Amino acid sequence: MEHTSEGNPQELVAFLTHCKDYCALIEHASEYSRGEFVRRAYGYLPNIFSYLSQMPATPTEELEDWLSGYTQIISDETVSYYEEQVRDLLGEELDLFLHYPVGVVQDGELQPERLSRLLLLIYRELGTPLLVLREDAGELLVATLSILQYAFDSYMGDALLSAMRVLHYHKNSEALEEQTNY
């Protein structure tokens, strides 16, 4: 398992620190102004994306075994609670990507995606390795990181990119600057 656990311990620690900081941001979203929340989220997500995009793939046999026994640790209720907080903080205009064309095409029409939903999808996937780390820093963490890398390849990479595009747009928009009043 050296591809995940022994590659570069400093990079792994930095990645897990970014994950922890991002999860704390989501969990305490109501304590931030919208501008500060956007700036912080925008700061964490590129580093998380960079680390995950460079993780080597896990051999299929091992991954299939781990996926069959995988249970999401963070509950739907927890996700819903934090998503509501993030949605309230962002406001409807920012949360629905009204100024940036990101979403799902249905019946030939773009259906807007909620930024809060993407941010919480990322939160849920990143929070699991942190909770696992509290229990077991060995094989269980390696398995969880491999599943996280699989989630990144399957759908979370797209969620990260979409969230970063919207945050980038709004971080640099004049409307956001006017509303934050340093």
Side-chain angles (χ1 to χ4, degrees):
M1 286 291 116
E2 82 180 31
H3 62 274
T4 306
S5 61
E6 298 172 14
N8 184 340
Q10 290 175 327
E11 286 181 13
L12 178 60
V13 168
F15 169 69
L16 292 172
T17 300
H18 282 300
C19 292
K20 179 189 76 61
D21 292 345
Y22 176 77
C23 289
L25 175 70
I26 295 296
E27 292 166 355
H28 300 281
S30 63
E31 299 172 15
Y32 293 95
S33 70
R34 182 164 74 165
E36 183 64 19
F37 179 85
V38 167
R39 279 188 288 284
R40 285 177 181 257
Y42 185 72
Y44 297 132
L45 295 180
N47 294 320
I48 292 167
F49 183 91
S50 177
Y51 184 87
L52 289 172
S53 67
Q54 295 176 39
M55 280 180 69
T58 302
T60 306
E61 318 76 56
E62 288 177 302
L63 184 59
E64 287 174 2
D65 289 343
W66 291 334
L67 285 171
S68 68
Y70 180 74
T71 303
Q72 182 54 254
I73 296 175
I74 300 174
S75 71
D76 291 340
E77 293 80 22
T78 300
V79 169
S80 294
Y81 174 76
Y82 290 133
E83 185 174 357
E84 186 177 318
Q85 283 189 345
V86 171
R87 186 178 295 148
D88 288 346
L89 176 65
L90 295 176
E92 196 70 13
E93 181 179 300
L94 176 53
D95 193 39
L96 281 176
F97 300 2
L98 296 179
H99 300 296
Y100 201 89
V102 176
V104 179
V105 176
Q106 294 177 347
D107 299 327
E109 194 173 308
L110 185 67
Q111 303 299 316
E113 179 65 89
R114 288 192 173 273
L115 178 57
S116 58
R117 183 183 153 319
L118 293 176
L119 293 174
L120 266 294
L121 170 84
I122 296 163
Y123 164 81
R124 188 175 208 176
E125 294 298 334
L126 295 178
T128 298
L130 298 174
L131 293 172
V132 167
L133 185 58
R134 290 181 187 167
E135 301 297 320
D136 179 5
E139 185 70 17
L140 189 56
L141 179 63
V142 172
T144 304
L145 289 173
S146 295
I147 291 169
L148 180 60
Q149 191 274 331
Y150 170 78
F152 174 81
D153 288 346
S154 300
Y155 60 89
M156 198 172 76
D158 291 335
L160 277 160
L161 284 174
S162 293
M164 285 189 297
R165 285 195 309 250
V166 174
L167 291 170
H168 177 79
Y169 176 84
H170 284 285
K171 177 183 169 283
N172 296 307
S173 74
E174 291 180 7
L176 184 61
E177 293 299 320
E178 292 173 2
Q179 293 176 2
T180 56
N181 295 332
Y182 299 99

